[in-house]
């Protein structure tokens, strides 16, 4: 396994995230496949949104578990409809890991750290936009 690069006595953030991404890939995929095979219906009670249950208003993450379930079943449009943050997160993961792999194995651009904050800002924007859309649909009576 590769080492984490140190710059000025500190670990590089993008190298740490790259290692976390490599370590978490198979466990997340195995869980996703297990969840898709065993069905959301069998475990839906474990994943109820407390915020929505108490307030009647969906939280920014509402639909995320069902979107994860549909994503691993290959139902990508349904996943995007329920919560686009899941597909956005997968796209960000693939982009970051590909870019890190390229930089690590070609040596090009290694001196410049990948700005992790950009991925966070994109994810926050997707979460907020889809939440606003859900709230508008709820007010209009088109969302239950």
């Amino acid at each position: 396994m590769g080492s984490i690069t140190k710059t000025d006595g500190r670990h590089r953030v993008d190298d740490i995230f790259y290692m976390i991404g490599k370590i978490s890939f198979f466990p997340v995929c195995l869980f996703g496949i297990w969840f898709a095979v065993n069905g959301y219906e069998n475990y839906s009670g474990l994943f109820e949104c407390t915020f929505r249950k108490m307030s009647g208003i969906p939280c920014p993450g509402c639909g995320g578990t069902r979107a994860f379930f549909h994503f691993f079943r290959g139902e990508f449009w349904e996943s995007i409809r329920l919560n686009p943050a899941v597909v956005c997160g997968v796209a960000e993961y693939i982009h970051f890991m590909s870019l890190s792999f390229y930089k690590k194995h070609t040596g090009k651009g290694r001196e410049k750290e990948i700005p992790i904050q950009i991925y966070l800002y994109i994810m926050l924007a997707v979460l907020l936009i889809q939440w606003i859309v859900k709230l508008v649909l709820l007010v209009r009576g088109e969302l239950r």
Side-chain angles (χ1 to χ4, degrees), residues 5 8 12 14 25-26 35 38-39 45 47 53 58 68 76 81 84-85 89 95 101 107 113 118 122 125 129 139:
T5 308
D8 299 332
R12 289 175 48 128
D14 57 348
F25 178 75
F26 285 112
F35 191 52
N38 286 306
F47 303 109
K53 191 188 291 187
F68 183 80
F76 303 116
R81 187 188 71 74
H95 180 267
F101 181 83
E113 199 167 42
I118 300 297
I122 292 169
I129 290 168
V139 167

Side-chain angles (χ1 to χ4, degrees), residues 21-38:
K22 286 188 341 185
I23 291 168
S24 64
F25 178 75
F26 285 112
V28 170
C29 286
L30 288 175
F31 175 76
I33 293 167
W34 172 83
F35 191 52
V37 168
N38 286 306

Side-chain angles (χ1 to χ4, degrees), residues 1-4 19 22 104:
M1 202 176 277
S3 63
I4 297 176
M19 291 299 293
K22 286 188 341 185
K104 188 171 194 73

Side-chain angles (χ1 to χ4, degrees), residues 6-136:
K6 277 189 156 185
T7 306
D8 299 332
R10 301 179 335 179
H11 293 289
R12 289 175 48 128
V13 174
D14 57 348
D15 287 332
I16 293 170
F17 273 89
Y18 181 62
M19 291 299 293
I20 291 169
K22 286 188 341 185
I23 291 168
S24 64
F25 178 75
F26 285 112
V28 170
C29 286
L30 288 175
F31 175 76
I33 293 167
W34 172 83
F35 191 52
V37 168
N38 286 306
Y40 177 78
E41 300 80 23
N42 295 335
Y43 300 98
S44 61
L46 297 172
F47 303 109
E48 286 186 66
C49 178
T50 306
F51 183 82
R52 186 169 191 165
K53 191 188 291 187
M54 293 177 72
S55 69
I57 300 169
C59 75
C62 274
T65 305
R66 288 174 289 148
F68 183 80
F69 169 73
H70 287 287
F71 180 83
F72 274 94
R73 291 183 60 128
E75 301 164 355
F76 303 116
W77 289 116
E78 184 66 11
S79 179
I80 291 169
R81 187 188 71 74
L82 290 167
N83 194 327
V86 171
V87 175
C88 177
V90 171
E92 287 181 341
Y93 173 83
I94 291 169
H95 180 267
F96 174 78
M97 293 301 285
S98 300
L99 186 59
S100 295
F101 181 83
Y102 174 78
K103 289 174 84 171
K104 188 171 194 73
H105 294 288
T106 64
K108 296 179 181 176
R110 277 305 295 157
E111 66 282 349
K112 193 171 182 186
E113 199 167 42
I114 300 170
I116 302 296
Q117 302 89 331
I118 300 297
Y119 296 103
L120 176 64
Y121 296 146
I122 292 169
M123 182 60 76
L124 285 173
V126 169
L127 277 171
L128 288 175
I129 290 168
Q130 68 90 26
W131 188 42
I132 291 168
V133 168
K134 282 184 182 177
L135 291 176
V136 168

